[in-house]
Amino acid sequence: MINFQYLRADTQKKAIDALAKDASAQFIAGGTNLVDLMKKGVTSPQRIVDITHLPLKQIEKVPGYTRIGSLALNSEVAEHELIKNNHPLLSLALQAGASPQLRNMATVGGNIMQRTRCTYFYDTEMPCNKRIPGSGCGALQGYNRMHAIFGASDKCIAVHPSDMCVALVALDAKVLVSGPKGNRRIEFEDFHRLPGNDAAKDNVLQQGELITGIEIPDHPFTKNIHYLKIRDRASYAFALISVAATLDIQNNVIQDVRLAMGGVAHKPWRLPAAEEFLKGKKVSEEIFREAAKIAMNGSKAYEHNAFKLKMAPAAIIESLKIAAKLD
Ligand code: SF4
């Protein structure tokens, strides 16, 4: 039995103050990841700050953006008319994640903050630089089938597990944050970090900062979209590879395109070089194949995940073809 103090915050300021003063404290909302981490002894916060009563559940249109509160549930966002009509890629990605029961508990902020599902991270008998800095990486020489093919380091080869975040990085979302030093907006692309020499840190949040919401800028990507998720079973499984693809096609020419992958890196992985290549090109399977080749530049496999080097480009091509409605 691990003792901890429970505190229910009724204002944003009280929540932020509680965390700013105590480095071992953690926010809790849906708890779909944190409770597992606590039960397995991966993390042992001395204080839990319950934020579920803060007024951060809105899903609304504001000039130039859609704003979603960090406590909006994954299921509510996926089914909301505003999201289905204006950001269908996000709706598809959310529906691909977890199970209906989990989507009914999990919040947007918690989805962004969820930890890797690397099995060595969850097994406290194994070395893991993310859990205990300097202890080593069990996955590097271990069973690394689920692990990264982009952006890894010799300290950590874990992947970020979220589907929602893959769509959000493709849609140029921003993360709204409030903390002891005030408010800031962080580009989604810059929010999660690569492991480098410090595998323990998943993102750029500072002590005491609270995610209050996300903003998705208006965009033309509502017709040609696809979220492809390849996993070991049809539901309730994390992605081996996922691809978010959306195109703005006029007269069979690609005006604009967004591409991002999940299951391949320590962060949701945007594919900017492939996007640039596709802009202005006529829709064809051949250019999608070229784009997939470009997207794979810099990829690197480990002992058990070399299959991802073939699966990833195939998934990019398939997702683009479905998004472009190419038979
Ligand atoms: Fe830990 Fe990362 Fe290595 Fe997994 S890949 S064991 S999370 S350091």
Side-chain angles (χ1 to χ4, degrees):
M1 173 81 181
I2 301 165
N3 287 321
F4 59 88
Q5 186 190 13
Y6 171 85
L7 185 94
R8 194 167 101 177
D10 50 13
T11 68
Q12 208 165 285
K13 184 172 181 325
K14 280 186 192 164
I16 291 166
D17 284 351
L19 241 75
K21 286 181 196 144
D22 182 352
S24 83
Q26 290 197 41
F27 294 129
I28 191 165
T32 56
N33 188 203
L34 181 59
V35 173
D36 278 350
L37 291 165
M38 290 172 69
K39 284 198 291 195
K40 288 175 187 289
V42 178
T43 184
S44 308
Q46 286 165 21
R47 180 185 280 187
I48 293 292
V49 182
D50 180 351
I51 56 171
T52 49
H53 291 76
L54 301 182
L56 297 170
K57 293 181 179 154
Q58 79 282 12
I59 302 171
E60 62 186 359
K61 182 80 185 77
V62 293
Y65 291 93
T66 299
R67 191 174 288 151
I68 304 172
S70 59
L71 292 176
L73 298 178
N74 285 194
S75 53
E76 289 171 347
V77 179
E79 295 301 327
H80 199 282
E81 285 304 309
L82 186 58
I83 305 302
K84 286 203 285 191
N85 292 333
N86 294 6
H87 310 292
L89 183 67
L90 174 59
S91 188
L92 284 182
L94 278 163
Q95 284 163 7
S99 65
Q101 291 89 342
L102 284 167
R103 294 196 293 272
N104 280 337
M105 282 300 290
T107 62
V108 165
N111 192 323
I112 295 171
M113 292 298 290
Q114 66 178 301
R115 313 292 313 268
T116 182
R117 266 35 179 215
C118 171
T119 49
Y120 298 89
F121 175 61
Y122 285 77
D123 184 344
T124 54
E125 299 294 311
M126 300 301 291
C128 172
N129 288 322
K130 189 175 280 300
R131 186 169 22 81
I132 303 175
S135 62
C137 171
L140 205 54
Q141 304 301 328
Y143 189 52
N144 42 39
R145 177 173 176 269
M146 296 293 288
H147 290 73
I149 54 171
F150 289 107
S153 74
D154 62 354
K155 300 290 184 290
C156 179
I157 60 171
V159 297
H160 194 266
S162 170
D163 293 294
M164 180 191 80
C165 293
V166 180
L168 289 176
V169 78
L171 296 174
D172 282 338
K174 290 165 179 50
V175 185
L176 310 180
V177 166
S178 192
K181 294 179 187 159
N183 299 334
R184 60 183 181 131
R185 271 182 174 72
I186 306 169
E187 295 291 336
F188 211 88
E189 170 89 52
D190 301 329
F191 184 83
H192 296 99
R193 56 184 293 284
L194 292 177
N197 279 324
D198 182 6
K201 215 164 157 33
D202 295 342
N203 56 60
V204 299
L205 274 190
Q206 303 289 321
Q207 181 66 35
E209 283 188 320
L210 170 72
I211 297 176
T212 57
I214 52 168
E215 279 182 348
I216 309 171
D218 295 346
H219 56 75
F221 303 109
T222 54
K223 287 196 192 105
N224 294 103
I225 56 156
H226 193 62
Y227 186 75
L228 178 68
K229 180 173 180 178
I230 302 173
R231 49 189 153 176
D232 285 327
R233 57 177 181 236
S235 76
Y236 194 28
F238 294 97
L240 290 164
I241 298 280
S242 67
V243 179
T246 184
L247 302 136
D248 178 19
I249 301 171
Q250 309 285 338
N251 300 320
N252 208 36
V253 174
I254 298 167
Q255 307 296 316
D256 203 354
V257 53
R258 303 284 175 76
L259 272 175
M261 297 183 87
V264 296
H266 198 257
K267 59 188 284 186
W269 195 248
R270 185 90 178 253
L271 306 172
E275 290 178 4
E276 276 313 306
F277 168 79
L278 287 169
K279 282 180 199 167
K281 302 271 192 330
K282 279 195 173 169
V283 171
S284 74
E285 182 166 339
E286 195 187 337
I287 59 147
F288 292 161
R289 287 188 180 281
E290 278 303 308
K293 257 189 226 161
I294 292 167
M296 294 305 292
N297 281 340
S299 57
K300 175 190 166 183
Y302 296 87
E303 187 179 353
H304 300 100
N305 70 350
F307 72 94
K308 287 192 177 187
L309 299 184
K310 288 186 181 169
M311 185 183 275
I316 294 169
I317 295 163
E318 185 65 9
S319 198
L320 281 166
K321 279 172 67 180
I322 295 171
K325 305 184 195 327
L326 200 66
D327 288 326

